[in-house]
Amino acid sequence: MKLTARKTGHEFGERDTVALFLPEGGEDVKGAEIPDDISHIVDRANLGFFGGKSGECAFIPIAGRPALIIAGLGKPAEITRETLRNSAALVTGTARKMKIKELDVVLPRLKGLEEKPVLCALAEGMYLANYAFDRYKTRKDETDAPVQSVSFHSVDTAGAARLLREVSIICSNSLLCRDLINETSERANPVSIAAEAKKLARLKGVSCTVLGRRELEKLGMGLLLAVGRAGANPPRMAILKYTGNPRGKKSLALVGKGITFDSGGLNLKPSGHIEDMRSDMAGAAACIYTIKAAAELGLKKNLYAVIPLCENMPGGNSYRPGDVYRSYNGMTVEIGNTDAEGRLVLADALAYTEFRLKPDYIIDIATLTGACLICFGEIIAGLLTPSDELAGALHAAGEETGERLWRLPLYGDYAEDLKSDIADISNVSSTRNAGTIIGASFLNSFVKSTPWAHLDIAGTSWGSKQRGYRPKNATGYGVRLFMELIKNLEI
Ligand code: BES
Ligand code: MN
Ligand code: ZN
């Protein structure tokens, strides 16, 4: 979707379609909110029928005038950037159904909200809602066509164009992230995803190393190798580096869980739990597309993405409950359950990241526990970190982007449940309690001293239904959150 800025006061033709956003409230509220350059068009439409409630959206063709798509914004006092994104998503949805390829957007004037954040939120909502994973549909949906371009009317067109460029780079990478997660595990496997990461090395400032079985053995990544043992596709570890601030000494490393299919292994998942497990690499996808977005924007920041990739499969060669494997950091781990595989591959990746790359911050992102989905639903992600600084920065970025998260505690008491009789640590606790905290506690023992945060996206990475600008299935959670965080982090 192309986003452009156009000078306010532009004359519309009768073949144009103009999107208009109206708040809830009496005729006088609406009258005050309708900008002058469109009031002569609107005067022929009977807006008395339109309540302006959030969730309301209508297509209004007017003889001899441009057509209108009007979307409700809800009560003026309750309008936020997130409600604006969702109102904008309705406009995209309506335009897609009407097969309208080009749209003009007249920005609403809203008390307490400046034009720029309103512009960004509407552009994001429209962009992110213009998505369908239809590559395997032989006949494309005949009642839904993508919107191709949107012009936003603004007084400061240069300023608006700059913001819209940023929005389209970040949002296009969110959509690519969704595509990779939605892709079948047969196609999006450890080898092909590592190759996808390698492609990013074409971008300025980006380099990529991919480690195969031989190299992982040499490095001693016993946990990643154990989990990946029975996969028909061999494990990989991709390490991306983006240097946007060559003189800077600081960096952030993102570590993303890349289980391309989580069958559970010998602790096989039952029907009802296994169907969507191709999405168990959503953390990996978010890291890859954050690096791509940062490089395309030319951010003056230094980043790493470390991505352990493998399949968790049952078979004669599978790793087994009761086995013990040695991690990259030398610790031995008893396997209590082969379905707690994410923490194993992340343990090797986290230890490697801290020891070899020496970043100033480490954030891992993982579809780690079903318990997180039960606790927070599909609405917010779990955040666990000993660092108040990272907690604050991540929470703020979540509120800003709508990719929200909430902190859970990491008290040392929980780690006691991970004691093993025969090894240094077990990958599961003996009780079913506090699954998300237990998972994070396990990871915690593979990070020594670097400020670290863990994001559990088991709930937010995948939607069981469409919610506003978030489609059913892969949501792309993480890319927009990380881009916002990176902008504000001194690295
Ligand atoms: N990938 C799953 C977690 C998951 C569950 C993600 C549902 C998305 C939706 C993870 O590898 C897993 O299986 N976790 C187990 C851990 C348990 C065996 C300690 C779980 O949460 O049941
Ligand atoms: Mn699992
Ligand atoms: Zn998993």
Side-chain angles (χ1 to χ4, degrees):
M1 180 194 260
K2 214 174 121 206
L3 303 178
T4 53
R6 186 176 261 182
K7 195 107 203 130
T8 349
H10 168 85
E11 285 290 321
F12 298 102
E14 59 180 290
R15 301 184 57 93
D16 291 333
T17 305
V18 182
L20 188 62
F21 294 88
L22 295 176
E24 192 177 334
E27 208 47 54
D28 22 316
V29 177
K30 277 184 225 149
E33 298 301 340
I34 294 171
D36 306 334
D37 54 340
I38 197 172
S39 54
H40 69 285
I41 299 169
V42 177
D43 62 9
R44 283 254 202 107
N46 187 353
L47 293 181
F49 288 102
F50 191 75
K53 287 197 169 54
S54 69
E56 234 178 319
C57 189
F59 174 70
I60 311 176
I62 309 171
R65 299 265 165 104
L68 290 176
I69 294 180
I70 43 175
L73 292 172
K75 293 199 179 70
E78 289 167 14
I79 298 173
T80 64
R81 271 170 290 184
E82 186 68 355
T83 66
L84 286 169
R85 285 183 202 105
N86 285 328
S87 299
L90 284 175
V91 171
T92 298
T94 302
R96 286 175 68 100
K97 280 203 193 80
M98 303 305 300
K99 298 191 183 172
I100 294 163
K101 298 226 154 59
E102 288 172 31
L103 277 172
D104 285 87
V105 175
V106 175
L107 296 176
R109 284 179 303 212
L110 300 170
K111 264 196 222 102
L113 277 167
E114 282 171 44
E115 181 173 300
K116 292 207 162 130
V118 171
L119 169 75
C120 284
L122 293 178
E124 285 162 5
M126 293 189 78
Y127 204 115
L128 294 166
N130 196 30
Y131 178 80
F133 185 75
D134 57 5
R135 65 178 62 154
Y136 295 119
K137 292 275 188 193
T138 311
R139 269 198 284 151
K140 301 294 168 209
D141 195 334
E142 275 147 25
T143 57
D144 189 274
V147 178
Q148 277 161 8
S149 78
V150 183
S151 0
F152 291 84
H153 293 236
S154 170
V155 201
D156 172 17
T157 45
R162 204 162 8 86
L163 290 172
L164 291 172
R165 175 176 171 269
E166 195 177 314
V167 168
S168 41
I169 289 176
I170 296 173
C171 292
S172 62
N173 282 295
S174 286
L175 302 195
L176 290 170
C177 178
R178 288 178 190 170
D179 274 344
L180 187 63
I181 300 166
N182 284 326
E183 181 57 280
T184 62
S185 65
E186 193 244 328
R187 304 235 175 153
N189 58 56
V191 177
S192 70
I193 295 178
E196 202 61 36
K198 191 107 208 179
K199 275 196 210 157
L200 300 194
R202 292 179 196 152
L203 298 169
K204 192 165 176 273
V206 180
S207 62
C208 180
T209 311
V210 173
L211 309 176
R213 243 194 199 122
R214 196 75 51 73
E215 287 117 320
L216 296 169
E217 277 163 12
K218 254 190 230 150
L219 284 164
M221 302 233 189
L223 304 181
L224 174 57
L225 286 164
V227 176
R229 228 160 67 171
N233 296 293
R236 292 282 186 268
M237 176 123 109
I239 300 134
L240 280 159
K241 181 177 183 182
Y242 171 63
T243 312
N245 181 14
R247 262 169 284 165
K249 293 253 180 308
K250 291 192 146 196
S251 64
L252 160 70
L254 301 173
V255 178
K257 173 177 172 182
I259 300 295
T260 62
F261 188 75
D262 181 10
S263 71
L266 290 174
N267 291 106
L268 191 63
K269 286 185 186 291
S271 295
H273 294 266
I274 202 171
E275 291 75 10
D276 298 329
M277 279 300 136
R278 68 176 186 282
S279 68
D280 211 20
M281 35 57 76
C287 297
I288 292 173
Y289 290 102
T290 299
I291 296 283
K292 182 161 170 280
E296 287 174 353
L297 274 175
L299 290 191
K300 294 190 176 17
K301 306 280 179 177
N302 299 322
L303 302 169
Y304 291 102
V306 177
I307 301 152
L309 294 155
C310 72
E311 303 177 332
N312 185 21
M313 295 297 279
N317 190 33
S318 287
Y319 79 132
R320 301 156 189 172
D323 283 355
V324 174
Y325 297 94
R326 194 177 292 278
S327 161
Y328 175 81
N329 77 349
M331 271 167 75
T332 55
V333 182
E334 179 190 359
I335 308 306
N337 189 314
T338 60
D339 200 10
E341 83 298 336
R343 62 197 71 183
L344 297 172
V345 305
L346 287 171
D348 273 347
L350 286 167
Y352 174 91
T353 300
E354 181 170 42
F355 186 75
R356 295 284 279 246
L357 308 178
K358 301 183 170 59
D360 296 272
Y361 303 97
I362 303 175
I363 301 175
D364 77 74
I365 178 164
T367 46
L368 204 72
T369 63
C372 191
L373 175 60
I374 289 172
C375 179
F376 291 129
E378 295 176 345
I379 310 297
I380 59 175
L383 164 67
L384 297 101
T385 175
S387 160
D388 292 341
E389 184 199 358
L390 279 179
L394 279 163
H395 184 262
E399 294 298 312
E400 194 81 15
T401 55
E403 294 193 338
R404 287 164 293 183
L405 43 89
W406 203 262
R407 193 177 183 182
L408 290 172
L410 251 188
Y411 292 114
D413 314 40
Y414 289 100
E416 284 169 30
D417 288 359
L418 289 165
K419 287 211 171 103
S420 157
D421 293 338
I422 57 169
D424 298 333
I425 192 170
S426 166
N427 76 332
V428 289
S429 90
S430 45
T431 78
R432 294 181 57 223
N433 299 336
T436 303
I437 302 180
I438 294 287
S441 302
F442 181 89
L443 298 178
N444 194 197
S445 45
F446 292 84
V447 183
K448 274 200 183 125
S449 57
T450 310
W452 157 80
H454 161 64
L455 285 170
D456 194 329
I457 58 165
T460 53
S461 59
W462 191 262
S464 54
K465 59 167 194 182
Q466 188 207 328
R467 286 187 179 83
Y469 63 88
R470 283 171 257 256
K472 190 179 176 197
N473 297 349
T475 60
Y477 182 100
V479 176
R480 292 171 52 250
L481 172 78
F482 284 150
M483 290 305 288
E484 182 62 29
L485 173 86
I486 291 162
K487 256 202 282 180
N488 302 322
L489 207 60
E490 261 188 60
I491 43 170

